[in-house]
Amino acid sequence: MAAAPEALQPIFTAYLFPKLETKLIELLRSLTSQDWEKQTLAPRWKVRDVAAHLLDTQVRKLAAARQVSNTGTSKQISPAELAVLINSLNAEGVRQYSQLSPGELISRMEAAAKESADYHQALDPFAPAMFPVSWAGEEQSANWFDTAREFTERWHHQQQIRLAVNKPGIMTREFYYPVLDCFMRALPHTY
């Protein structure tokens, strides 16, 4: 059997999580109190809110992983219902974690980042993921794709913070190319 074209090969990003998270923690530690209040490209979120969102999504995913054995796909809901659910969860998480001091938020994020990296690295990349990458048109995804999706989330929001405070650092081949690779897989579904 011939190998799949390069564009269809899995994207393995789990090994990048510790490096990307180290960059995030370094960035957050470098922020001034004024930086935490700067507006990001996300119209409703300041830097503090984006950082809170990053912590919330990690904590929530890890909690879900502890509660669910990987025995099948998650409950199927419509894209509209999924958007409402995600927006509601995000708003609640930002409300909860943006109340933390920057030091406490960073401390909790460090612990969650290590646990999250360990979680993604321990997954069988070809086993069914807990959540499908629905924006790419999948009803069931392999772990490697859900991990790549999670990587894009972590990269994207860190980049929002970096743009707000004018501190570049992750627009590199090592970090950005896997993000583009993952996003390109949605094009056939999107178009």
Side-chain angles (χ1 to χ4, degrees):
M1 174 182 243
E6 186 175 334
L8 300 178
Q9 295 297 318
I11 314 162
F12 296 109
T13 54
Y15 75 97
L16 290 170
F17 276 75
K19 293 177 183 180
L20 186 66
E21 296 298 332
T22 295
K23 293 276 193 186
L24 175 62
I25 298 301
E26 289 170 355
L27 170 65
L28 296 178
R29 283 194 176 127
S30 77
L31 299 180
T32 66
S33 56
Q34 294 83 13
D35 288 337
W36 284 92
E37 299 307 320
K38 287 186 176 174
Q39 183 62 50
T40 68
L41 292 173
R44 296 182 182 180
W45 288 353
K46 295 182 178 186
V47 166
R48 172 186 299 277
D49 301 320
V50 174
H53 171 66
L54 284 168
L55 175 58
D56 174 59
T57 55
Q58 269 185 336
V59 169
R60 202 168 351 110
K61 176 123 185 206
L62 290 167
R66 284 186 207 100
Q67 292 174 3
V68 177
S69 63
N70 209 8
T71 57
T73 61
S74 60
K75 178 184 170 194
Q76 298 296 316
I77 61 175
S78 74
E81 291 170 320
L82 181 61
V84 168
L85 175 63
I86 288 172
N87 288 335
S88 173
L89 291 171
N90 288 344
E92 179 56 34
V94 168
R95 260 192 307 279
Q96 178 183 355
Y97 290 112
S98 67
Q99 301 305 310
L100 297 175
S101 70
E104 181 64 22
L105 196 145
I106 292 167
S107 176
R108 289 187 187 193
M109 193 172 298
E110 267 187 303
K114 172 149 183 18
E115 189 176 347
S116 179
D118 291 347
Y119 167 75
H120 285 285
Q121 291 172 344
L123 291 172
D124 173 350
F126 298 103
M130 181 174 23
F131 301 109
V133 184
S134 60
W135 52 255
E138 294 197 353
E139 292 182 16
Q140 175 65 59
S141 299
N143 280 325
W144 67 262
F145 197 20
D146 184 47
T147 296
R149 182 215 46 82
E150 185 69 21
F151 183 81
T152 67
E153 174 84 359
R154 306 296 300 168
W155 183 91
H156 169 80
H157 289 304
Q158 184 178 156
Q159 185 65 13
Q160 287 176 325
I161 294 171
R162 289 181 176 282
L163 289 170
V165 298
N166 196 27
K167 292 189 178 187
I170 60 170
M171 188 64 91
T172 64
R173 179 182 183 93
E174 179 180 32
F175 296 128
Y176 189 47
Y177 280 28
V179 170
L180 290 176
D181 190 345
C182 187
F183 286 159
M184 293 300 289
R185 293 163 192 266
L187 287 180
H189 173 68
T190 303
Y191 293 109

